[in-house]
């Protein structure tokens, strides 16, 4: 019995010693789990973030984003440009100025059939029949006009009366003014055409700058048209 009590007291002493040395952990209240977490996290130093701040923090820095270089817009090109038709003299002047563009085989010229004004006629419109033309001719005689000709061919001016053909429009205008002074008020002026060789020009694969230079040259020939072609 004494041995049992001896060993029991020894075991209790050993247990107290182990607790005192901390071999079995600390049972003090300030080191329990809630307090230990509080000491580790330092709650007073924590700051709550807004949603925008959290999103901005998660986004990669702008400096790290690869910048995409701007690609220049392609310059427009004109596959086919046509200018003309030119009369022979004007075509030569146009071609001489276009030579400065140095287009080489991108420029071509072709001859086309056309008409040009060869003269101007002062006339009285058709009277509908030979009798009507003769009657009008009699009126001209009474006014002192003797230089006339009744047109009896199959042209649109059949049974009209020619009062003269002139090389220039100014000469025709002078004749018309003289006839008006004599009392002839039904006379008109009409151009007369003859077949001629004309020239048309085509230009291929022009960039915008060259096209603009071509338009500037064409502006010196206002009767001509610059247009796209195939």
């Amino acid at each position: 019995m004494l041995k049992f009590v001896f060993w029991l007291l020894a075991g209790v002493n050993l247990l107290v010693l182990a607790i005192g040395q901390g071999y079995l952990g600390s049972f003090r209240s300030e080191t329990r789990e809630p307090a230990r977490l509080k000491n580790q996290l330092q709650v007073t130093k924590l700051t709550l973030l807004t949603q925008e701040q959290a999103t901005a923090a998660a986004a990669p820095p702008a400096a790290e984003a690869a910048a995409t270089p701007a690609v220049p817009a392609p310059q427009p090109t004109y596959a086919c440009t046509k200018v003309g038709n030119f009369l022979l003299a004007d075509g030569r002047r146009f071609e001489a100025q276009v030579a400065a563009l140095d287009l080489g085989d991108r420029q071509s010229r072709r001859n086309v059939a056309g008409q040009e004004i060869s003269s101007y006629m002062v006339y009285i419109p058709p009277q509908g029949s030979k009798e009507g033309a003769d009657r009008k001719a009699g009126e001209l005689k009474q006014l002192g006009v003797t230089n006339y000709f009744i047109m009896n061919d199959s042209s649109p001016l059949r049974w009209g009366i020619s009062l003269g053909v002139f090389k220039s429009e100014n000469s025709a205008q002078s004749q018309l003014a003289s006839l008006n002074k004599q009392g002839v008020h039904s006379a008109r002026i009409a151009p007369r055409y003859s077949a001629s060789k004309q020239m048309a020009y085509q230009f291929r694969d022009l960039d915008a700058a060259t096209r603009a230079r071509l338009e500037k040259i064409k502006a010196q020939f206002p009767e001509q048209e610059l247009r796209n072609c195939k």
Side-chain angles (χ1 to χ4, degrees), residues 45-106:
K45 297 183 179 180
L46 294 179
T47 303
L48 294 179
L49 299 179
T50 65
Q51 182 176 358
E52 290 77 8
Q53 291 173 328
T55 303
E64 296 179 2
T68 303
V71 178
Q75 294 295 322
T77 58
Y78 300 87
C80 182
T81 304
K82 181 178 180 181
V83 185
N85 302 333
F86 290 89
L87 296 177
L88 184 60
D90 287 344
R92 288 174 176 171
R93 289 197 300 116
F94 176 78
E95 190 169 345
Q97 296 187 49
V98 169
L101 301 181
D102 194 21
L103 297 176
D105 58 3
R106 291 185 292 157

Side-chain angles (χ1 to χ4, degrees), residues 116-225:
E116 61 177 316
I117 298 175
S118 58
S119 59
Y120 295 86
M121 181 174 64
V122 180
Y123 73 103
I124 293 176
Q127 300 300 301
S129 64
K130 183 179 182 306
E131 291 75 14
D134 289 339
R135 188 164 50 251
K136 179 58 83 173
E139 294 176 4
L140 291 174
K141 287 182 180 180
Q142 291 178 1
L143 294 173
V145 178
T146 57
N147 186 16
Y148 62 86
F149 171 75
I150 296 176
M151 294 178 282
N152 57 5
D153 56 8
S154 58
S155 71
L157 295 178
R158 181 179 174 85
W159 306 127
I161 300 176
S162 172
L163 298 170
V165 177
F166 304 88
K167 187 66 176 177
S168 69
E169 186 176 7
N170 287 338
S171 298
Q173 292 286 0
S174 297
Q175 174 68 358
L176 182 61
S178 178
L179 290 169
N180 286 337
K181 290 179 179 180
Q182 290 179 266
V184 181
H185 301 292
S186 58
R188 304 287 185 270
I189 295 177
R192 300 179 71 194
Y193 295 89
S194 62
S196 66
K197 182 177 72 173
Q198 298 182 358
M199 294 181 291
Y201 296 85
Q202 284 190 357
F203 306 91
R204 295 195 173 276
D205 301 326
L206 301 181
D207 57 33
T210 305
R211 169 90 171 209
R213 293 176 63 188
L214 180 62
E215 290 176 347
K216 187 175 181 179
I217 294 173
K218 200 282 309 176
Q220 302 176 41
F221 304 86
E223 70 280 2
Q224 299 300 330
E225 179 184 1

Side-chain angles (χ1 to χ4, degrees), residues 29-48:
S29 61
E30 64 270 17
T31 59
R32 293 181 182 178
E33 190 66 16
R36 184 173 62 84
L37 290 176
K38 181 177 179 181
N39 291 336
Q40 290 178 354
L41 294 178
Q42 300 182 3
V43 177
T44 58
K45 297 183 179 180
L46 294 179
T47 303
L48 294 179

